[in-house]
Amino acid sequence: MTKIGCAGVLVEDTFCGPMKELPREGQLLAIGAMPVKAGGCAANVAIDLAKQGLAVDVVGCVGQDASAEVIMACLGEHGVGCAQVTRVEQYPTSKTMILLVAGEDRRYVHVFGANQAFTVRHIKRDWLKSLNVFYLGGLCALPAIEMAELQELLKFCQGHEVTTVVDVVVPQSWTGVEALKPLLPYIDYFLPNNDEARLITGRIDPLDQLRAFRAAGANTVVITQGKAGAMAAKGGAYWRCGVFPITSVDPSGSGDAFSAGIITGLLRGWDMPQILRYASALGASATRAIGTTDGVFTAVEADAFVASSLLPVTSGAL
């Protein structure tokens, strides 16, 4: 059976809204609900992959508190394996309050918590070599990850034919570009968004970003661009696609759903245009409901949606 491991950021998400506007100072604003769900790159991608009918384990750190139970319960409901999750004593479980205001981008209030305890040493080699795909989400926002240790881990994956997929969360103040670049040749699929790619490469145009990553030794690179779609590069070629039109309720989790679509497509052995269409479909579907994973298509839904919807993919020489 195909098996995927998802490592990285685990968060308890509380969604507040949608509301017409933020309450004024001293005002009480009543809303219908504040749903609490599992979130963070590793949890989101794992749940989305489970919805594609794939076997998935998660590895990461949570605290020893009620928030950890929420995350574990949500993952368990979707059949995600949690045996690799570590409960730490020194930090609480990471939490985020997401404020949803009509017509505006989301606002976040965040407690970093146990994610700052997560290290490469939490990823067991015996478990790792049993995988077909290893996904790491939130690189650059996991302060205890040592790049040299991660490079050795990625080399280990390469030696055991485990496909690696890495997503990043790059803070505006981040200064670790030089430490990141040596990892690129050992990452099979690198998935930044265009803002993160700009911070890493210093380039503004996504095509120039793709060229810079390939020149630095990256293998397959996929850059998401929000409403502008996505671009990918592999070998000497690049591909570009837009987005599927869909009624959006909450964009939370769309990037992670896109990542899950990339992984699903590569496991199905598809070419890049087909992978991009499927990933774009999952990314769009995530926005249909409040929360990061509730709206994400199952495999049956995604296949039907892609078959009935047009999303052109163009290509060119890199």
Side-chain angles (χ1 to χ4, degrees):
M1 176 184 287
T2 297
K3 188 175 180 183
I4 307 162
C6 292
V9 178
L10 299 175
V11 182
E12 180 197 58
D13 284 339
T14 300
F15 292 86
C16 185
M19 49 189 138
K20 291 182 179 179
E21 59 184 12
L22 291 173
R24 299 185 303 274
E25 183 178 352
Q27 179 188 12
L28 173 65
L29 176 66
I31 59 176
M34 288 188 190
V36 180
K37 307 172 183 290
C41 307
N44 294 339
V45 173
I47 291 171
D48 295 341
L49 287 167
K51 294 179 81 168
Q52 309 315 301
L54 297 167
V56 192
D57 288 347
V58 159
V59 55
C61 291
V62 296
Q64 300 194 25
D65 49 25
S67 296
E69 300 304 326
V70 169
I71 293 173
M72 301 294 272
C74 288
L75 292 169
E77 287 172 7
H78 290 277
V80 175
C82 297
Q84 304 298 320
V85 176
T86 299
R87 296 174 183 260
V88 300
E89 295 183 358
Q90 66 268 42
Y91 300 110
T93 300
S94 177
K95 304 175 185 65
T96 301
M97 172 72 76
I98 299 105
L99 305 177
L100 304 174
V101 180
E104 299 181 11
D105 200 357
R106 297 151 292 171
R107 294 175 173 85
Y108 302 93
V109 182
H110 184 64
V111 176
F112 205 91
N115 288 318
Q116 59 196 306
F118 182 61
T119 70
V120 171
R121 293 181 294 281
H122 286 104
I123 305 169
K124 307 303 182 187
R125 299 296 177 99
D126 287 343
W127 169 79
L128 190 63
K129 68 183 181 183
S130 73
L131 304 176
N132 299 93
V133 176
F134 173 69
Y135 165 85
L136 175 62
L139 181 62
C140 308
L142 294 162
I145 293 287
E146 297 288 341
M147 294 297 187
E149 293 179 350
L150 180 57
Q151 185 176 18
E152 288 303 313
L153 187 86
L154 294 169
K155 287 181 180 179
F156 179 86
C157 289
Q158 197 173 70
H160 288 82
E161 299 183 342
V162 178
T163 300
T164 53
V165 180
V166 176
D167 194 2
V168 291
V169 175
V170 182
Q172 289 292 325
S173 59
W174 187 68
T175 57
V177 174
E178 294 307 315
L180 175 62
K181 287 181 179 178
L183 302 181
L184 294 175
Y186 303 101
I187 298 171
D188 295 306
Y189 288 79
F190 186 57
L191 311 178
N193 65 35
N194 57 308
D195 290 330
E196 293 159 344
R198 175 180 54 80
L199 289 169
I200 296 168
T201 66
R203 311 290 178 86
I204 296 174
D205 182 81
L207 185 55
D208 289 338
Q209 293 168 354
L210 289 174
R211 290 174 174 140
F213 281 126
R214 291 286 295 138
N219 295 296
T220 302
V221 182
V222 184
I223 298 174
T224 53
Q225 302 171 258
K227 294 180 180 179
M231 294 188 68
K234 183 177 183 179
Y238 76 88
W239 295 264
R240 187 194 305 265
C241 70
V243 297
F244 287 108
I246 201 163
T247 301
S248 178
V249 175
D250 172 17
S252 301
S254 59
D256 294 331
F258 185 94
S259 297
I262 293 289
I263 294 169
T264 302
L266 70 91
L267 285 171
R268 291 188 180 186
W270 290 339
D271 61 15
M272 185 57 70
Q274 193 170 7
I275 290 174
L276 287 175
R277 290 187 187 98
Y278 196 90
S280 298
L282 288 196
S285 70
T287 73
R288 300 184 302 161
I290 292 176
T292 53
T293 60
D294 286 12
V296 174
F297 288 143
T298 63
V300 172
E301 292 170 332
D303 286 336
F305 180 83
V306 171
S308 63
S309 305
L310 180 65
L311 184 68
V313 179
T314 60
S315 63
L318 196 62

